[in-house]
């Protein structure tokens, strides 16, 4: 398999082994059964200092049995989210560009041997058209570009697609629609290929390990496929760092194996990135397996995670990797998202996950072109209105990547809570832009109320490291955005 560059995995192994020691994880979970409440409260206190937890500490949280103690964990998780990210929620949408795939993952509608899927690789004109809808009609500023693993959708294709997306400028109500940040969820690549997508202006590179359990990984990714190589995938983000992409995202597909094991795997992943590069994952994702066309595996997922356990695992991840953003997706139903949003930092909205689905004439959900079935198909406007009614400001800020607040810089800002403040100002400005250009009347009304509250907060309780000049500049930018200028941020 020439895709895999063996030496780009082997240089990370220690005594021939990767950093997921299955037996150690099982042992930690066993040893930490029935943790006492005092120990759990000490762990909560450490997480509140925005310190990555030790594996034994995460194991202890995962083994809590007492419902009242779980309530304390949920409250701490929400507190950490607010401490690091304030009341902001970032939104984005996926752009599915290609569903041809050389792999045969048991759980995925796009798997090679699934005849029920119409295969398509969007050409650059079609990518442009999809982007015009996303940026010009729906008002998104961030995308996650998604594709299967196939020679037709390799690094050159992804890089050119990204350039195409960034080139789209749509005239909208009072300003312009454009995508300012393209994140990518694609197959693991070599360092050489990663440099190509870095040069095209990638935001975050996201690769989910699916499962950290070696034997389960081998079962769901048939031998002989590229994806069956556990190590090639496990070190995909290490290679990204080597290539200079210092903004990376981890995830596990929940339902393949025991959720407690997967949370431990994600923690070990974050810790290994921190150890080697001084930077952990920017975001953590926790997709749950959803039904997919002609994919019986999904209807009988061996370790389906209940809502109760899913909420618990989100909280434990929040505490274990406290600086990381956490993404909840439209795979989930609106009611459940409402329940966990206090612990999360990002969500998608108005998502379509069929290739060409934004421009196509498809119904809302069309099984034969999409990877799986969504739980929340509401529009971005509806989602923003709901978030605002719950007290959250939707941020369209993309400044982090464009002004160099990534990697080590951002880690320090996040751990000290200062990123939250820069981002607060940018959230106000970018949300105002969105209200001007895209909001319905109802959403605008409630959105303006949130903005007024936010401005009052920063001007009345000026944080120590905000200079008066900075605040004055923010107010000036805000006035200028209201009178039609765009893309003003810190
Ligand atoms: N093909 C690339 C890969 O596998 O890494 C990237 C794109 S893949 C379409 C994106 C992610 O979708 C996978 O990493 C997997 O976690 C998730 N996924 C696949 N099948 C799913 C299903 N039935 N339900 C929910 N998520 C699924
Ligand atoms: Fe292909 Fe990714 Fe689906 Fe696996 S999860 S079949 S690699 S698109």
């Amino acid at each position: 398999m020439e895709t895999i560059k063996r030496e780009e995995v082997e240089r990370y192994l220690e005594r021939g082994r990767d950093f997921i020691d299955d037996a150690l994880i099982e042992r930690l979970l066993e040893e930490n059964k029935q943790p006492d409440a005092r120990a759990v409260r000490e762990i909560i206190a450490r997480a509140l200092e925005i310190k990555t937890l030790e594996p034994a500490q995460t194991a202890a949280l995962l083994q809590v049995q007492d419902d009242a103690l779980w309530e304390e964990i949920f409250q701490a998780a929400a507190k950490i989210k607010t401490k690091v990210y304030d009341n902001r929620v970032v939104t984005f949408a996926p752009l599915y560009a290609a569903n041809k795939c050389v792999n045969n993952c048991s759980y995925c509608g796009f798997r090679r041997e699934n005849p029920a899927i119409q295969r398509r690789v969007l050409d650059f004109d079609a990518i442009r058209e999809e982007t015009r809808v996303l940026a010009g009609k729906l008002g998104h500023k961030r995308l996650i570009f998604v594709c299967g693993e196939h020679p037709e959708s390799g690094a050159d294709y992804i890089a050119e697609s990204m350039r195409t997306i960034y080139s789209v400028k749509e005239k909208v109500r009072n300003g312009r629609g454009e995508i300012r940040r393209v994140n990518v969820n694609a197959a693991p690549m070599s360092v050489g290929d990663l440099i190509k997508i870095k040069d095209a202006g990638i935001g975050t590179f996201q690769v989910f390990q699916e499962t950290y359990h070696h034997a389960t990984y081998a079962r769901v990714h048939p031998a002989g496929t590229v994806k069956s190589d556990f190590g090639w995938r496990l070190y995909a983000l290490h290679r990204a760092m080597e290539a200079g992409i210092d903004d990376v995202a981890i995830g596990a597909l929940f339902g393949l194996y025991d959720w407690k094991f997967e949370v431990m795997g994600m923690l070990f992943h974050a810790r290994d990135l921190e150890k080697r590069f001084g930077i952990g994952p920017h975001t953590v994702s926790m997709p749950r397996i959803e039904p997919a066309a002609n994919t019986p595996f999904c209807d009988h997922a061996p370790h389906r995670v209940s809502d109760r356990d899913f909420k618990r695992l989100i909280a434990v991840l929040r505490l274990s990797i406290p600086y990381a953003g956490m993404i909840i997706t439209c795979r989930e139903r609106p009611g459940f998202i409402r329940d966990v949003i206090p612990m999360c930092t990002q969500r998608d909205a108005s998502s379509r996950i069929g290739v060409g689905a934004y421009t196509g004439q498809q119904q809302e959900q069309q099984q034969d072109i999409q990877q799986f079935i969504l739980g929340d198909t509401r529009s971005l406007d509806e989602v923003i209105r709901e978030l605002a009614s719950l007290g959250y400001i939707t941020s369209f800020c993309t400044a982090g990547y464009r002004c160099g607040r990534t990697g080590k810089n951002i880690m320090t800002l996040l751990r000290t809570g200062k990123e939250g403040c820069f981002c607060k100002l940018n959230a106000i400005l970018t949300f105002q832009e969105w209200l001007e250009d895209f909001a319905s009347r109802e959403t605008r009304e409630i959105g303006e109320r949130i903005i007024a509250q936010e401005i009052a907060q920063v001007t009345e309780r000026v944080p120590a490291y905000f200079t008066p000049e900075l605040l004055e500049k923010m107010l000036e930018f805000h006035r200028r955005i209201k009178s039609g200028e765009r893309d003003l941020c810190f």
Side-chain angles (χ1 to χ4, degrees), residues 221-460:
H221 302 113
T225 58
V226 185
K227 192 151 166 182
S228 67
D229 193 309
F230 185 92
W232 180 243
R233 198 165 182 90
L234 192 65
Y235 291 103
L237 303 175
H238 290 60
R239 292 195 296 280
M241 294 271 190
E242 261 189 74
I245 301 173
D246 58 7
D247 193 322
V248 299
I250 63 172
L253 182 56
F254 282 90
L256 297 177
Y257 191 59
D258 175 32
W259 61 273
K260 296 182 183 176
F261 188 101
E262 305 296 15
V263 170
M264 294 295 290
M266 285 162 94
L267 175 72
F268 275 104
H269 200 165
R271 289 175 65 91
D272 204 70
L273 289 166
E274 283 182 32
K275 182 178 92 182
R276 290 175 196 264
F277 304 101
I279 307 169
H282 181 174
T283 59
V284 166
S285 291
M286 48 282 164
R288 271 198 288 194
I289 290 192
E290 297 298 330
N294 191 34
T295 307
F297 181 95
C298 300
D299 305 324
H300 313 283
H303 292 272
R304 180 165 293 287
V305 182
S306 66
D307 282 359
R308 187 198 75 166
D309 290 346
F310 195 48
K311 183 173 174 184
R312 290 179 173 185
L313 78 86
I314 292 173
V316 176
L317 283 167
R318 173 76 286 155
L319 265 63
S320 301
I321 317 173
Y323 56 81
M326 289 187 70
I327 305 178
I328 186 88
T329 70
C330 290
R331 288 176 179 86
E332 304 299 335
R333 287 161 290 107
F336 184 76
I337 299 180
R338 249 192 318 277
D339 196 23
V340 297
I341 203 75
M343 302 186 277
C344 296
T345 61
Q346 295 195 23
R347 61 157 301 166
D348 55 336
S350 67
S351 296
R352 297 284 179 273
I353 57 168
V355 175
Y358 292 106
T359 32
Q361 300 301 309
Q362 288 89 2
Q363 303 124 17
E364 213 166 61
Q365 305 234 39
Q366 191 179 329
Q367 290 229 7
D368 61 350
I369 58 162
Q370 64 189 53
Q371 194 193 7
F372 48 82
I373 306 302
L374 294 174
D376 185 355
T377 52
R378 290 172 303 163
S379 71
L380 180 59
D381 188 77
E382 284 171 276
V383 164
I384 288 178
R385 195 181 325 143
E386 182 188 73
L387 287 171
S389 73
L390 297 170
Y392 296 102
I393 179 164
T394 302
S395 176
F396 291 90
C397 172
T398 51
Y401 139 72
R402 292 188 299 159
C403 70
R405 280 210 301 283
T406 59
K408 273 192 188 149
N409 303 341
I410 204 169
M411 288 290 284
T412 315
L413 290 167
L414 288 172
R415 284 189 196 276
T416 54
K418 288 187 185 166
E419 173 69 4
C421 292
F422 268 122
C423 289
K424 196 172 180 67
L425 303 187
N426 285 337
I428 294 172
L429 298 173
T430 56
F431 190 42
Q432 187 68 54
E433 260 193 329
W434 191 87
L435 293 178
E436 300 291 323
D437 292 342
F438 296 99
S440 65
R441 197 175 42 78
E442 302 94 296
T443 305
R444 182 161 181 152
E445 265 172 35
I446 183 162
E448 293 281 3
R449 282 207 290 279
I450 289 275
I451 290 205
Q453 273 169 31
E454 296 290 303
I455 291 182
Q457 259 186 31
V458 282
T459 46
E460 283 160 21

